[in-house]
Amino acid sequence: MAEGLRFAALGDSVTEGLGDPLPGGGWRGWAALLAGSLPDASFVNLATSGATTLRVLDEQLPSALRFAPTMASVVVGVNDVLRPGFDPRAIEDRLDSVVGTLCASGAVVLTARMPDAGGMLRLPGALRRPLSRRTDALNEAVLAVAQRHRTVHVDLADHPAVADRAAWHVDRLHPNERGHRVVAREFAGALAVRGVPILRMPSAEPHGGAKTRPFEHAWWLATKGTGWMIDRGTDLVPYLMGLAAREIWTAISPRRRMRRRVASGGGPGWASGRSPGGASGGPAGERPGGAFGADPGARAGSREG
């Protein structure tokens, strides 16, 4: 891979580089920083804002294969987590297709365990918990694919930078330049362990990006960020409230049924020997997988900034 390395980056706005602006406009991001640390590398960034695993499979993978990469990154899934209809089995299947196809073409593939979106957004506990479980399910799916195909896999979820406000863009969902450099360095270190030559480690200190001042953060929030928050306010938050309400009802409904049976003299058990939750042993009406199952009837999700 030392000669003629070809690096294709697939994913969503994090890989696109949002949060790491260039002086002339546009984004740089961790993938471009990583590419700069590789000797004689050709680089293409196919990541797009709002991309889900389905879009990566349908739209980005064909372009990546035409580029014929010897190395590719597939860092995606947060948009799946933030949308109704979340299905971790479908996510794993799509990621398996993307990663498996790239590996079969001869590329070394990079994957990552992602931080908890609910924690990054500092949501209240009742809203954060369902989102956190979805993130856990996403990371389990990614890990299964990573182990199956022996990808270069890094853990970004428990990195100290996650708790460092200085590493995050104003929206709390994207790294700023410092945060993008953390991601680039993590991948560079993991690639070096795998035997991929690293020309130089990406610098940990901001360099070469656009200098952002406090009023520019406020301007971004007032212009672009406002639309993103309106979308989230009219779509994500009500949906998470629904998940939270369902979680609360799942917790209290078995106790309500138990109290009714005891009050009627039925005792704590079922005459048939079945558990209070029905044949499956879980709360009545709950699908296998709980909050991780698909959500029929939920309306389509909003854009991801």
Side-chain angles (χ1 to χ4, degrees):
M1 292 186 64
E3 298 180 3
L5 189 149
R6 299 173 64 82
F7 175 26
L10 291 72
D12 53 29
S13 54
V14 172
T15 300
E16 183 185 28
L18 198 151
D20 182 19
L22 290 169
W27 307 107
R28 178 177 50 182
W30 70 265
L33 291 167
L34 177 62
S37 72
L38 303 170
D40 192 27
S42 300
F43 172 63
V44 60
N45 195 338
L46 302 169
T48 56
S49 181
T52 59
T53 52
L54 181 60
R55 282 179 57 184
V56 169
L57 175 62
D58 289 347
E59 301 172 14
Q60 297 180 22
L61 178 60
S63 298
L65 294 174
R66 287 193 293 271
F67 181 69
T70 53
M71 187 174 84
S73 61
V74 181
V75 180
V76 66
V78 173
N79 287 310
D80 298 77
V81 167
L82 294 174
R83 281 163 169 71
F86 178 74
D87 185 347
R89 292 185 183 89
I91 288 172
E92 182 176 339
D93 288 344
R94 290 191 288 263
L95 287 174
D96 190 71
S97 295
V98 173
V99 173
T101 300
L102 289 168
C103 287
S105 74
V108 171
V109 178
L110 283 58
T111 56
R113 180 169 176 255
M114 302 302 291
D116 173 21
M120 290 188 294
L121 288 170
R122 298 181 179 177
L123 295 174
L127 302 183
R128 185 181 66 249
R129 284 189 291 271
L131 200 55
S132 297
R133 282 199 295 275
R134 286 184 169 207
T135 303
D136 289 343
L138 166 67
N139 285 330
E140 288 174 6
V142 173
L143 179 60
V145 172
Q147 292 176 336
R148 194 174 301 135
H149 298 286
R150 299 188 67 249
T151 70
V152 177
H153 188 70
V154 302
D155 186 351
L156 301 177
D158 293 327
H159 195 283
V162 173
D164 183 3
R165 184 66 185 88
W168 289 97
H169 187 49
V170 65
D171 64 5
R172 290 291 299 179
L173 268 181
H174 300 91
N176 59 16
E177 180 184 349
R178 189 178 296 277
H180 278 283
R181 288 184 175 278
V182 168
V183 178
R185 288 172 63 84
E186 287 297 308
F187 275 119
L191 284 168
V193 170
R194 184 66 71 92
V196 176
I198 301 297
L199 184 64
R200 57 184 174 274
M201 284 293 290
S203 172
E205 295 301 318
H207 174 72
K211 302 296 182 182
T212 56
R213 289 162 287 186
F215 83 89
E216 291 173 319
H217 285 297
W219 178 253
W220 182 92
L221 191 63
T223 56
K224 299 178 182 178
T226 298
W228 184 88
M229 290 188 175
I230 289 173
D231 283 342
R232 286 293 169 256
T234 58
D235 179 68
L236 176 64
V237 172
Y239 183 68
L240 288 177
M241 290 177 67
L243 284 180
R246 193 181 339 175
E247 177 182 87
I248 294 170
W249 176 252
T250 299
I252 67 174
S253 57
R255 291 195 292 269
R256 289 168 60 91
R257 288 194 299 272
M258 180 72 72
R259 285 196 297 268
R260 285 198 298 267
R261 286 200 308 277
V262 171
S264 63
W270 290 88
S272 62
R274 296 167 64 185
S275 67
S280 65
E286 182 178 346
R287 296 185 302 277
F292 303 141
D295 299 283
R299 67 187 183 87
S302 60
R303 301 185 307 275
E304 163 66 8

